[in-house]
Amino acid sequence: MKTTPLGRLLVVDDNEMNRDLMVRRLRREGYEIDTASEGFQALDMIRSGRFDLILLDVMMPSISGLEMLPLIRKTHTLPDLPIIMATARDESDDIVQALQLGANDYVTKPIDLPVLLARIQTQLRLKSLSQLKDEFIRIASHDLKNPLSTVMMAAHVVRERVPPGSVMMEQHYQMLSFIVKHSEEMQRIIRDFLDFQAMEDGGITLTLAATQVNTIAEETVQNNFDYANSKNISLNLALDSNLPEIIGDNARLRQVAQNLIGNAIKFCRPGASILVRTERYTRSVLFEVVDSGPGLKPEDLQNAFAKYARLSNKPTGDETSTGLGLAICKQMIELHDGQIGMRNNTPNPGATFWFSLPIGGPTPEIAATTTVSSKSAR
């Protein structure tokens, strides 16, 4: 399975031998590396590209690293784009000036590779924590704020109009249902956020056991009947009776099935139909959710499984979305050595979201263990 790079780094040094040596060493450690031989070239690359960290030489002929720092910091903050300066061992004044101008850290020449790697890892981890904080603030201020306000409003009404010992009217009971619905929505938002962060940190584990995909399909459809009925959407099953057991994490596969079925209901208009079906192939089992909704635009087909992706179509019942559900599904299925995808239904309207899982389960080295972390499965 293809290994994801640990990060994209830009090495800026006018000395070709130093650049080549650094590139070989850092690529061997799993980083994606771009290089610049002088400062103005590097500034152009930073403007047009996206880097996780810059390793910047202090002394260069056209524009020095110290002169570049304030230019970079006009558009990139310290947490957003960490910069590690490379300087001569005895140039303490350069080190102080670099830190004052916006460098995150420094290494001295000749560069000690283990020290450099440790400092790169530290800066990337600090960057990740800063992004985590920013993402949580965004979710708390937008995705959680609205449903929480609704829950609090409904709870206040019930408390004021239904004193202890009184009979609850139908309209007040509906408010309790409203509270439950929006509380579950907030719980889902928080779960998606925590699950995605755990996967990015390699903290998700799979509990592997014999699993029936047909059973997952049946029970997930049953759990969504009320939701579909509330929007006048028909929800049906077409299961392959010859589907064998697979080795997988039952709870995580249910989470994927729930996300795909829930998304179909969320984006379909009243009167639409959704079919959940399974099929056996020679080496895999297939799970599909086929809807008669608005279909997918080209940008959706390209980006739907990306982090914080937003589909072009809007939910038809004022539902919310974190933009993380499909990204989580993708990583969950890849942890099972499976595949996931989507397509427009041609010539019929609507779209199909699907995943397939190997009949033999994940690779032998994965299946031999009770749990597997996301990093080891990639």
Side-chain angles (χ1 to χ4, degrees), residues 214 217-219 221-222 235-239 274-277:
N214 275 352
E218 288 175 336
E219 295 181 355
V221 165
Q222 183 63 42
L235 187 55
N236 303 290
L237 279 165
L239 304 181
I274 297 171
L275 178 65
V276 177
R277 67 187 182 195

Side-chain angles (χ1 to χ4, degrees), residues 3-11 19-36 45 51 55 113 116-117 120:
T3 302
T4 303
L6 297 177
R8 184 184 179 195
L9 313 185
L10 175 62
V11 175
R19 287 198 314 273
D20 292 345
L21 180 61
M22 202 57 54
V23 167
R24 288 198 301 272
R25 288 179 172 180
L26 292 174
R27 282 181 178 161
R28 197 159 53 231
E29 295 296 326
Y31 294 101
E32 179 183 354
I33 307 297
D34 289 298
T35 64
M45 294 174 70
F51 298 99
L55 182 62
L113 182 62
L116 175 61
L117 291 174
I120 289 174

Side-chain angles (χ1 to χ4, degrees), residues 153-169 171-173 175:
M153 177 191 68
H156 280 301
V157 170
V158 172
R159 185 180 65 179
E160 291 173 2
R161 299 184 183 180
V162 188
S166 64
V167 176
M168 179 175 286
M169 305 294 289
Q171 68 186 76
H172 300 136
Y173 181 79
M175 286 189 175

Side-chain angles (χ1 to χ4, degrees), residues 134-166:
D134 292 342
E135 289 165 4
F136 180 77
I137 290 173
R138 183 190 63 80
I139 287 174
S141 62
H142 181 266
D143 296 331
L144 291 177
K145 184 177 180 180
N146 291 339
L148 181 58
S149 298
T150 302
V151 166
M152 291 178 66
M153 177 191 68
H156 280 301
V157 170
V158 172
R159 185 180 65 179
E160 291 173 2
R161 299 184 183 180
V162 188
S166 64

Side-chain angles (χ1 to χ4, degrees), residues 42-333:
L43 291 172
D44 288 339
M45 294 174 70
I46 293 168
R47 278 191 290 265
S48 60
R50 183 67 184 174
F51 298 99
D52 295 304
L53 181 143
I54 297 176
L55 182 62
L56 178 60
D57 191 27
V58 169
M59 298 301 298
M60 290 184 293
S62 58
I63 179 173
S64 73
L66 295 177
E67 292 171 319
M68 289 177 62
L69 279 170
L71 300 177
I72 296 172
R73 288 297 174 232
K74 286 182 179 180
T75 54
H76 296 80
T77 64
L78 273 80
D80 176 53
L81 183 58
I83 300 175
I84 298 178
M85 306 298 294
T87 183
R89 187 177 301 275
D90 57 351
E91 296 295 334
S92 60
D93 289 344
D94 286 346
I95 295 171
V96 172
Q97 187 178 5
L99 295 173
Q100 291 174 338
L101 290 171
N104 297 71
D105 203 347
Y106 70 94
V107 290
T108 56
K109 296 181 178 181
I111 293 176
D112 186 323
L113 182 62
V115 171
L116 175 61
L117 291 174
R119 297 193 173 191
I120 289 174
Q121 291 163 6
T122 297
Q123 292 301 324
L124 292 180
R125 181 58 180 163
L126 290 172
K127 176 179 179 176
S128 176
L129 291 173
S130 177
Q131 291 173 338
L132 178 62
K133 177 205 68 176
D134 292 342
E135 289 165 4
F136 180 77
I137 290 173
R138 183 190 63 80
I139 287 174
S141 62
H142 181 266
D143 296 331
L144 291 177
K145 184 177 180 180
N146 291 339
L148 181 58
S149 298
T150 302
V151 166
M152 291 178 66
M153 177 191 68
H156 280 301
V157 170
V158 172
R159 185 180 65 179
E160 291 173 2
R161 299 184 183 180
V162 188
S166 64
V167 176
M168 179 175 286
M169 305 294 289
E170 175 67 20
Q171 68 186 76
H172 300 136
Y173 181 79
Q174 291 298 325
M175 286 189 175
L176 289 181
S177 300
F178 211 57
I179 290 172
V180 171
K181 173 186 174 182
H182 286 277
S183 296
E184 289 175 344
E185 181 182 343
M186 288 188 290
Q187 185 181 50
R188 176 186 57 80
I189 290 170
I190 294 169
R191 184 193 65 232
D192 283 355
F193 177 74
L194 294 177
D195 276 352
F196 194 86
Q197 292 306 140
M199 283 190 293
E200 288 206 323
D201 292 340
I204 285 288
T205 60
L206 297 184
T207 302
L208 302 177
T211 301
Q212 275 283 3
V213 174
N214 275 352
T215 301
I216 290 174
E218 288 175 336
E219 295 181 355
T220 309
V221 165
Q222 183 63 42
N223 291 339
N224 282 277
F225 266 136
D226 289 343
Y227 179 24
N229 287 337
S230 72
K231 299 182 70 173
N232 192 29
I233 294 171
S234 66
L235 187 55
N236 303 290
L237 279 165
L239 304 181
D240 187 339
S241 60
N242 295 319
L243 215 64
E245 287 186 335
I246 57 124
I247 301 299
D249 186 316
N250 190 283
R252 294 300 184 183
L253 292 177
R254 285 174 186 270
Q255 184 178 348
V256 175
Q258 170 58 45
N259 194 291
L260 298 187
I261 294 172
N263 268 2
I265 299 172
K266 181 187 299 183
F267 289 98
C268 277
R269 299 183 182 92
S273 63
I274 297 171
L275 178 65
V276 177
R277 67 187 182 195
T278 60
E279 188 173 354
R280 175 175 182 165
Y281 287 87
T282 303
R283 298 181 181 179
S284 63
V285 299
L286 177 69
F287 176 100
E288 287 188 324
V289 179
V290 186
D291 68 55
S292 62
L296 301 163
K297 295 183 178 179
E299 57 267 29
D300 297 329
L301 294 168
Q302 183 176 0
N303 301 318
F305 290 104
K307 183 178 180 181
Y308 295 121
R310 301 284 183 176
L311 298 180
S312 300
N313 300 309
K314 302 300 180 184
T316 56
D318 294 326
E319 300 97 334
T320 61
S321 173
T322 62
L324 290 174
L326 290 177
I328 292 171
C329 289
K330 183 176 186 292
Q331 293 204 37
M332 291 291 186
I333 295 302

